[in-house]
Amino acid sequence: MKINVVESVLKANDAVAAENRRRLSAAGVLAVNVMSAPGSGKTLLLERTIPRLAPERCAVLVGDLQTTRDAERLGSATPLVTQINTGTGCHLTAPQVTAGLDSLALDGVRYLFIENVGNMVCPAGFDLGEHRRVVLVSVTEGDDKVAKYPTLFQVADAILLTKVDLLGVLDGYRRERVYEDISRINSRAPVFEVAARTGQGLDPWLAWLQAQRSA
Ligand code: MG
Ligand code: ZN
């Protein structure tokens, strides 16, 4: 009985997600679900990405349990930002994204970034209606996270290794170990090494986004 309840919740979520995806595709918007642990640099990456893509072409839905802090930060990059507070919820769901879409004027928007709640487990299990999923992992989290949280990396269409400007001060970080784990878990996703703070590595990431939109 318990399994049936869980299945029906996921089925209901998936039906709403499919409708979100139809709505976004019809509007010509590429929706990107951005997932990672808390503090991997999702918000800063978007703060640096949006001006390069053109602010009027980008909108953001940002999920957090509490506060509007990330929306306030992103508000300096684009006016099209909605904060979704999940209360105790540790991931975004498709109906929350529907409500977020209702709050945004998507005319002329070409990219919707959905910054998920910082969490390396359940966001991977909830389709939001996105077209692409990107997963961040910062070098400051250590070199073992890909192996420890494989389900998140399995669903990624692209993986961003963030804060690479700090590699020089991290003793014992084995970058090759991260790449080995990624190639074992997900050989399909490109890996981008970025440092949003310095701008290092942003060009290939932006080119990837533009290519996904054309596709
Ligand atoms: Mg954030
Ligand atoms: Zn959750």
Side-chain angles (χ1 to χ4, degrees):
M1 284 305 272
K2 197 171 184 186
I3 287 171
N4 287 335
V5 171
V6 171
E7 277 184 349
S8 69
V9 167
L10 279 174
K11 263 186 202 156
N13 182 82
D14 286 354
V16 177
E19 182 50 37
N20 287 345
R21 191 155 28 243
R22 267 194 296 276
R23 178 177 175 180
L24 288 159
S25 298
V29 179
L30 175 79
V32 180
N33 184 358
V34 182
M35 297 178 282
S36 79
S40 302
K42 294 183 293 302
T43 309
L44 186 61
L45 177 74
L46 296 178
E47 284 183 271
R48 296 292 188 265
T49 297
I50 289 166
R52 299 280 302 275
L53 291 171
E56 68 280 7
R57 303 180 70 203
C58 298
V60 188
L61 296 176
V62 53
D64 279 299
L65 274 70
Q66 301 284 338
T67 83
T68 54
R69 290 182 188 184
D70 283 0
E72 286 161 28
R73 286 171 59 188
L74 289 160
S76 55
T78 171
L80 294 170
V81 180
T82 294
Q83 179 86 48
I84 300 168
N85 281 146
T86 57
T88 57
C90 49
H91 56 270
L92 288 175
T93 62
Q96 290 168 335
V97 168
T98 307
L101 290 176
D102 291 342
S103 75
L104 291 170
L106 292 176
D107 291 348
V109 167
R110 290 296 166 258
Y111 298 90
L112 173 72
F113 296 101
I114 306 169
E115 183 184 330
N116 218 310
V117 177
N119 181 330
M120 295 188 85
V121 184
C122 40
F126 285 81
D127 187 0
L128 304 179
E130 71 276 3
H131 301 100
R132 295 291 185 274
R133 295 172 168 189
V134 304
V135 174
L136 281 62
V137 59
S138 63
V139 298
T140 54
E141 292 166 66
D143 56 23
D144 58 355
K145 293 303 172 292
V146 175
K148 284 187 176 177
Y149 298 90
T151 50
L152 186 64
F153 294 92
Q154 267 159 10
V155 302
D157 296 302
I159 295 169
L160 286 94
L161 194 60
T162 62
K163 308 188 190 182
V164 293
D165 52 324
L166 301 179
L167 275 171
V169 295
L170 295 171
D171 282 340
Y173 182 89
R174 288 159 291 180
R175 196 189 325 203
E176 67 285 357
R177 192 190 200 197
V178 176
Y179 277 94
E180 277 166 26
D181 290 337
I182 290 172
S183 65
R184 189 167 43 79
I185 289 163
N186 182 341
S187 55
R188 171 181 63 87
V191 181
F192 301 110
E193 295 193 3
V194 300
R197 194 176 65 89
T198 63
Q200 181 187 336
L202 287 181
D203 286 346
W205 154 243
L206 290 162
W208 182 82
L209 280 172
Q210 286 160 341
Q212 303 312 301
R213 209 192 99 65
S214 316

